[in-house]
Amino acid sequence: MSSSGSSSKIPPVVANYTAKGERGKLGDIDCYFTGKKGSKRGIFVNYDAFRYHPNVFQICDILGSLGHYVVAPDLFRGEPLTMEDLGNPVAMGKFMQNSGSWNTSKPNYVQGIEYLRNSGATSVGVIGFCWGGKVALTSLQELDGIVGGAIIHPARVTSDDFAKINAPLLALPYNDMDLEMFKKGYEELGTRPFGAKCCLESFVDVVYGFCGPRGDWSDPAIAKRVNDAIQLVAAFFDDLMPN
């Protein structure tokens, strides 16, 4: 995967960030829109369990500045998980069965991807952070016409997921994940027609959620790794999407 093209133009991330995109609606769901509407390159972004955050907006804005039209729906409709919920089995069970489930998210994926296509995108990719990584990965199993997906420190990925994927995958697991499971999964992906387009890069030196709300981007070491991740994502989509 080359680092040439738009991925060579990525600015360094900053800790205190004001979003550059716009808020609007698709149907009854609030969304964040950024980039150039009408671009042939569309990206649907699935945030993590803690919903919108300046770090996620900044990544969306960077991708938008590279020529993509990006939409990030508020899939939880204003009711994200809290840090306290993570230690509450009842709250987590309710989340996974309702707002955190693929069945709940699927109509919003269909709607968002259709919107990007109707806005001029001839190629549409998906990105998911943490919990959203699992949901984005599921979209590569369940939906047609997605050129590829990037999952950033994804949660709840299992070995069974890889056999069902129908498009190229970029996975950026973090240090506490089962990296051997990912490596075996990528051996499976390597046998598929799109296997050469898949990429696995482990971030063993960072904590869970470093690209999302848990990431302290005032730490130069973390900020550098965030830029490394964005570089990989941008290069991945450069390879999949014509200008």
Side-chain angles (χ1 to χ4, degrees):
M1 189 168 59
S2 171
S3 62
S4 61
S6 64
S7 60
S8 64
K9 305 173 185 176
I10 295 169
V13 297
V14 297
N16 298 307
Y17 186 75
T18 300
K20 298 177 181 177
E22 298 179 349
R23 299 290 189 99
K25 281 186 174 288
L26 288 181
D28 66 343
I29 191 169
D30 292 328
C31 296
Y32 181 77
F33 303 93
T34 188
K36 183 178 180 181
K37 187 174 183 179
S39 170
K40 294 181 179 180
R41 298 151 58 110
I43 295 179
F44 179 100
V45 174
N46 194 146
Y47 54 38
D48 73 1
F50 302 115
R51 193 174 171 251
Y52 286 147
H53 187 274
N55 290 356
V56 175
F57 289 148
Q58 188 170 175
I59 292 176
C60 289
D61 287 345
I62 289 173
L63 293 172
S65 74
L66 299 178
H68 303 282
Y69 186 41
V70 182
V71 58
D74 183 9
L75 298 171
F76 298 156
R77 290 175 165 77
E79 298 182 359
L81 283 180
T82 66
M83 290 298 293
E84 291 73 23
D85 289 334
L86 294 182
N88 184 330
V90 174
M92 287 301 299
K94 181 179 179 181
F95 168 74
M96 296 307 299
Q97 293 176 10
N98 295 288
S99 59
S101 73
W102 166 246
N103 286 339
T104 301
S105 300
K106 181 178 178 180
N108 301 126
Y109 267 72
V110 172
Q111 180 184 49
I113 291 169
E114 181 180 15
Y115 167 77
L116 288 168
R117 288 176 178 148
N118 289 341
S119 298
T122 55
S123 301
V124 176
V126 297
I127 298 175
F129 298 81
C130 305
W131 158 83
K134 171 70 170 185
V135 182
L137 189 154
T138 305
S139 75
L140 300 182
Q141 304 167 352
E142 299 286 338
L143 301 180
D144 296 325
I146 300 173
V147 299
I151 55 175
I152 303 171
H153 39 72
R156 297 180 178 269
V157 176
T158 69
S159 57
D160 292 337
D161 287 324
F162 296 96
K164 304 173 185 177
I165 294 171
N166 297 312
L169 178 70
L170 167 67
L172 307 180
Y174 63 100
N175 62 348
D176 291 334
M177 299 197 72
D178 185 351
L179 299 181
E180 287 304 313
M181 181 266 290
F182 273 87
K183 290 177 182 177
K184 290 179 180 178
Y186 267 74
E187 290 177 3
E188 164 70 24
L189 292 180
T191 67
R192 311 293 288 280
F194 52 81
K197 295 290 187 180
C198 295
C199 182
L200 172 65
E201 185 79 21
S202 58
F203 282 68
V204 298
D205 55 336
V206 291
V207 297
Y208 178 51
F210 72 100
C211 280
R214 291 184 175 186
D216 178 8
W217 293 7
S218 66
D219 182 333
I222 298 297
K224 179 184 182 304
R225 296 301 274 150
V226 172
N227 269 99
D228 291 342
I230 299 172
Q231 179 92 20
L232 288 166
V233 171
F236 175 71
F237 286 119
D238 272 352
D239 283 348
L240 297 177
M241 297 182 177
N243 291 320

